[in-house]
Amino acid sequence: MPAKLIRDLEEGEKVVSFAHLRTLQVRQKKDGSPYLRLVLGDRTGRIEGRVWDDADRIFPLLQDGGFVKYRGRVETYNGARQLIVDQLRMVERQDHEAGFSERDLIPTTRYDIDAMWRELRAKIESETARPAVRQALNNVLDRYADSVRTFPAGVEIHHEYYGGFLEHVLSVLDSVLFFSDKYPDLDRDLLISGAVLHDIGKLEELSGPLNPSYTAVGRLIGHVVIGRDIFREESARVPDFPSELGMLIEHLILSHQGQLEWGSPKEPMIPEAFLLHYVDDLDAKMNRILRVIAEDAQAPSEFTRYDRYLQRFLYKRGAETPAAGQDDADEEESRSGREASKAPGLPF
């Protein structure tokens, strides 16, 4: 069965489809009995859902972050679409045999991955002055070619989609090349190295491109130090790689988060490290801002939902204000919608 995409769900529609279970929480009704709050996602967006009945039975069968098949009804609450879910289970072998693929659901970069990959390799060849730096970068990209092309740049905060890592790296590289022209005293090879390598440790910090979670080494060591170690290993394969140059590139990787409280073992101490940090941070934040607005575009409100990473609402220019009179109490949602979602006639 082809998945009904979240973008295409309409109010009042009864739907059976597949989704990525992004958030799963057990909450209590006024009478003390449990219900489930869900956030379901696919490549077109996210939608909140509620499972009002059988929460005790359903919850242990679900895996937060996995892929599910659901049956329910779409309604509007506080100006936003919401799913009242009647049935919910994890995806099974029979679904795959019937044609289901996780790859069809996960968010994906809007850019052509092959074209980005060719552009990244070409810019390293054309823009890097030192042969030793060029060789070290090529060693790293050869080692992680498949992962660079497919991994997200993170689990949730920014570029959190298939191909997002490559998109982010190329965007940061474009920016540092621009600023290296503006500030010609900066070392261009250092900036190129920092752009390509600053997040390379995420390819071992995360488990894979389709449904990433943090690996043991990712949680215990972290991508910053992992990335430093990857560069150290690959630069050691380059004959006579300059030791001071290697130290400076390692500093770029170790300091790119910018602040100790953000996970940097070191704060930037050279101009190239300052620039890399701010370019990286800007690219991450702009990606987050634009995605929050885009995912909330269909909600008829002036502002997006509150974003806990940006710590603010975002203004949606030109959006309409929802009708007043609805409050935020979950259990006051449409009981008629809850009953309608159980109507027979949809296979599950």
Side-chain angles (χ1 to χ4, degrees), residues 172-222:
V172 172
L173 178 57
D174 286 341
S175 294
V176 299
L177 290 174
F178 169 82
F179 282 109
S180 70
D181 290 334
K182 183 174 178 62
Y183 303 108
D185 290 340
L186 299 184
D187 188 311
R188 197 173 176 89
D189 282 357
L190 284 181
L191 290 172
I192 293 170
S193 300
V196 174
L197 299 173
H198 71 283
D199 274 347
I200 200 71
K202 289 186 177 181
L203 304 182
E204 294 189 10
E205 181 180 55
L206 303 180
S207 60
L210 292 182
N211 186 22
S213 58
Y214 287 98
T215 62
V217 69
R219 291 193 182 277
L220 295 174
I221 307 299

Side-chain angles (χ1 to χ4, degrees), residues 109-229:
T109 177
R110 58 178 175 165
Y111 302 105
D112 183 271
I113 290 176
D114 291 334
M116 287 195 294
W117 176 250
R118 290 192 297 268
E119 184 178 354
L120 176 62
R121 302 305 295 256
K123 285 184 174 177
I124 289 172
E125 291 300 316
S126 64
E127 302 289 349
T128 307
R130 298 177 180 88
V133 172
R134 188 182 309 118
Q135 183 58 57
L137 295 179
N138 283 327
N139 286 351
V140 173
L141 293 182
D142 289 343
R143 174 176 169 180
Y144 290 99
D146 289 340
S147 297
V148 169
R149 291 163 53 91
T150 60
F151 267 54
V155 173
E156 187 173 5
I157 299 177
H158 72 94
H159 296 84
E160 68 275 26
Y161 43 81
Y162 192 92
F165 181 91
L166 178 56
E167 180 186 327
H168 174 57
V169 166
L170 190 57
S171 179
V172 172
L173 178 57
D174 286 341
S175 294
V176 299
L177 290 174
F178 169 82
F179 282 109
S180 70
D181 290 334
K182 183 174 178 62
Y183 303 108
D185 290 340
L186 299 184
D187 188 311
R188 197 173 176 89
D189 282 357
L190 284 181
L191 290 172
I192 293 170
S193 300
V196 174
L197 299 173
H198 71 283
D199 274 347
I200 200 71
K202 289 186 177 181
L203 304 182
E204 294 189 10
E205 181 180 55
L206 303 180
S207 60
L210 292 182
N211 186 22
S213 58
Y214 287 98
T215 62
V217 69
R219 291 193 182 277
L220 295 174
I221 307 299
H223 80 274
V224 176
V225 175
I226 295 171
R228 189 280 308 270
D229 292 345

